[in-house]
Amino acid sequence: MSVRTVRTIWLRELRSYANSPNAWVIAAIFLGLSGLSFALSVTGRYPEATIRGFLFGPIGPIGAFFLTILLAPALTMRLLAEEQKLGTIELLLTAPVRDIEIVLGKYLAALSILSSMYALTLYFPLLLFAFGNPDVTPLLTGYLVLFLVGAVAVAVGLLGSALTANQIVAAITSLAILLVLWLFNATAALGSPDDAWTDVVTFLALSEHIRDMAFGVFDTRDIIYFLSLIVFFLFLTVRAVETRRWR
Amino acid sequence: MIESRELTKYYGDFPAIEDVTFTAEPGEVIGFLGPNGAGKTTTMRIITGFTPPTSGTAIVAGHDVQEEPLAARASIGYLPETVPLYTDMTVREYLHYMGGLRGMSGARIRSRVDDVFGLCRLEEYTDSLVSKLSKGYRQRVGIAQAILHEPPVLVLDEPTIGIDPRQVVETRQIIRGLGGDHTVILSTHILPEVSMVCDRVLIIHEGRIVVMDSAERLSARLGGVSRVVMDVRGPRAQIEETLAQVDGVVSVEISDAGGRQQFVVECAPGRDLRVDLARRVAEHGWGLVELRAVGLSLEEIFLRLTTEDEVSAA
Ligand SMILES: Nc1ncnc2c1ncn2[C@@H]1O[C@H](COP(=O)(O)OP(=O)(O)OP(=O)(O)O)[C@@H](O)[C@H]1O
Ligand SMILES: [Mg+2]
């Protein structure tokens, strides 16, 4: 694999994000709503010096995790769908470039944008330090798990974008996959507590692996879970790009 | 330089191309001629590695397109049919990006980008957004990216479509100039274009190669005047009979287009009978109002070549 090719594609996509209003609007929505969540959680009747309000949201599910799941498909929908629509994929796939290099370049570009959005929220913990005495571990693991959820969401988003030339269809497809991943454990209620089904859906659900880390408990099994999901969806994306050649 | 062996491609049950076999020598310019849906684009997409064949092999610069895709693709410059460009980039940014994808070094990209700006006459548009360019200039950007990395093989799908006649001439000159250093395959619907630009012509019809010949021999075969339209004032039946008796005339038809008495004279292939026909009319003292040669349409040529082929095969 050629790092240079990945870098070339990554840089092009970054510039493309910077030049289109899309990424800026998404960043504004994310920063606005997650900032509101944070503000509400630290000014409420029982203020706490944590970022849990920012991550999960004090009202409904509108915290950073859920916003990531809603907004990542909008961020990634263009990446491969537009190439198919414009036909530029024909030049990309006939250049001496591996399919995985294309996928990684685009993946890293979207992940870089998402990470920058997360980085811009780092003043929340700084405020906590300025006005209170927060626990450091949950801050670190909280941001780590947020980044991992973002990395999964972008991988799913890229897969959706590889499957179709229509950006809207791409966004809806990836949002559907992410919502299923997120809400999987709700189906556990259908079985009895020690059912095999309960175990499976509890293991697969995104939200099950978020909780511990968001509260400061670091578990390598959670890390492995997230990394496997990322690899799995990127692998599917590469396959989707490959089959694009047969269509 | 390019070797295509029995390439066959099915879309479902439909054969887009069947048993396409040909070779292109280094420095040769080969023209693919064929009507819509003949399979030109499909053949080119297989050679460039965009789509895999159902069966058969394509070897480019010594590399099997399927077995060593990266090496094969690295030796090709490709202009797809609908010149696909990223509309949010300037011409220069776009060429830099394409150079990067081809693994060119920064210094080489910079010097080659300046070269191709000159070659493709794009100097005035180097920093224009691609989305603001006219069709003809987009086509030039497409050619520019194809030759940027100086590939030994160029595959150009309808390089002169949609551009004005002056630019067509310039584009043909560019392509003609590339032959010699590059092996070029181009596709077209325009018959004279092949004789102007190509060394060898490959005619594809319904997914099969029907004719493979040098451009000179093909134009000799189809060349000369084969149909003459005459507007003659005089006795209808007598004129028709007299014209039909001229040596080399195959048939005479009368059309009364626009209230004029027109005789469409079909001549034997390769014979110019205009002088003979005019003399005969003059001998009888009829009024010759107009006389002009008409070329065959591409459809007629295909019809002729395909039926000719079937006759010789039978
Ligand atoms: N992706 C596809 N799926 C199904 N059929 C296809 C596909 N691409 C091409 N075909 C069919 O294969 C045949 C050959 O098409 P191709 O595009 O190669 O023709 P062409 O010679 O390039 O025609 P044109 O002069 O119009 O560009 C056509 O009948 C076309 O309908
Ligand atoms: Mg075509």
Side-chain angles (χ1 to χ4, degrees), chain A residues 247, chain B residues 11 14 16 34-42 45 81 158 189:
Chain A
R247 270 184 262 154
Chain B
Y11 285 111
F14 175 78
N36 290 131
K40 305 180 293 291
T41 300
T42 305
R45 283 182 162 170
E81 191 167 20
E158 301 189 17
H189 297 124

Side-chain angles (χ1 to χ4, degrees), chain B residues 296-309:
Chain B
L296 292 177
S297 74
L298 192 57
E299 286 303 322
E300 287 170 311
I301 288 165
F302 287 120
L303 203 64
R304 227 168 239 214
L305 287 169
T306 41
T307 46
E308 191 181 299
D309 222 53

Side-chain angles (χ1 to χ4, degrees), chain B:
Chain B
M1 192 50 74
I2 305 171
E3 201 180 333
S4 151
R5 288 195 210 121
E6 293 169 9
L7 286 179
T8 299
K9 173 85 185 175
Y10 277 86
Y11 285 111
D13 290 338
F14 175 78
I17 58 166
E18 280 179 287
D19 279 338
V20 170
T21 301
F22 68 92
T23 55
E25 301 305 325
E28 207 175 13
V29 181
I30 292 202
F32 278 16
L33 192 62
N36 290 131
K40 305 180 293 291
T41 300
T42 305
T43 310
M44 292 183 151
R45 283 182 162 170
I46 294 172
I47 290 168
T48 53
F50 179 59
T51 191
T54 309
S55 65
T57 50
I59 293 164
V60 177
H63 306 284
D64 187 314
V65 172
Q66 296 296 104
E67 305 294 323
E68 303 169 79
L70 292 193
R73 287 188 228 149
S75 44
I76 299 178
Y78 179 33
L79 172 72
E81 191 167 20
T82 52
V83 187
L85 302 168
Y86 298 98
T87 45
D88 60 342
M89 298 174 112
T90 68
V91 176
R92 189 187 298 276
E93 284 169 353
Y94 175 70
L95 291 177
H96 274 258
Y97 175 59
M98 292 312 289
L101 283 186
R102 271 82 172 254
M104 296 165 72
S105 71
R108 174 139 177 268
I109 292 176
R110 275 188 294 279
S111 81
R112 278 298 294 165
V113 164
D114 286 335
D115 290 353
V116 296
F117 279 152
L119 257 174
C120 302
R121 316 250 169 85
L122 278 165
E123 295 97 336
E124 289 166 43
Y125 295 92
T126 54
D127 296 306
S128 312
L129 275 180
V130 168
S131 57
K132 300 262 158 39
L133 293 182
S134 70
K135 167 89 177 114
Y137 277 94
R138 282 186 203 203
Q139 195 82 17
R140 291 181 189 206
V141 176
I143 296 178
Q145 64 78 26
I147 60 177
L148 183 66
H149 52 307
E150 300 181 280
V153 173
L154 279 174
V155 178
L156 311 173
D157 201 349
E158 301 189 17
T160 58
I161 197 137
I163 58 184
D164 71 51
R166 193 174 48 86
Q167 293 188 9
V168 167
V169 173
E170 286 182 4
T171 308
R172 284 184 191 145
Q173 282 167 353
I174 294 172
I175 297 168
R176 195 60 261 187
L178 292 170
D181 295 337
H182 304 70
T183 305
V184 184
I185 308 186
L186 64 90
S187 73
T188 178
H189 297 124
I190 308 161
L191 184 65
E193 182 161 294
V194 243
S195 33
M196 271 182 261
V197 181
C198 308
D199 302 311
R200 214 142 55 86
V201 183
L202 243 143
I203 296 189
I204 305 188
H205 187 69
E206 292 178 353
R208 290 177 173 276
I209 297 182
V210 287
V211 174
M212 194 165 10
D213 213 337
S214 75
E216 294 94 59
R217 264 189 303 190
L218 187 74
S219 37
R221 208 156 137 188
L222 301 166
V225 175
S226 41
R227 186 179 290 169
V228 177
V229 176
M230 304 174 77
D231 187 342
V232 185
R233 303 273 158 86
R236 205 175 164 92
Q238 212 182 331
I239 296 172
E240 186 182 3
E241 202 188 320
T242 313
L243 292 177
Q245 281 163 2
V246 173
D247 180 40
V249 169
V250 178
S251 69
V252 179
E253 268 172 50
I254 305 177
S255 81
D256 291 310
R260 304 198 305 180
Q261 182 166 267
Q262 289 199 331
F263 299 85
V264 181
V265 182
E266 192 82 18
C267 311
R271 295 196 52 184
D272 187 348
L273 301 176
R274 278 175 298 183
V275 176
D276 296 350
L277 291 167
R279 186 180 301 131
R280 200 59 64 88
V281 170
E283 279 168 13
H284 286 80
W286 297 320
L288 180 57
V289 181
E290 191 188 351
L291 181 152
R292 67 197 147 87
V294 287
L296 292 177
S297 74
L298 192 57
E299 286 303 322
E300 287 170 311
I301 288 165
F302 287 120
L303 203 64
R304 227 168 239 214
L305 287 169
T306 41
T307 46
E308 191 181 299
D309 222 53
E310 276 156 24
V311 171
S312 60

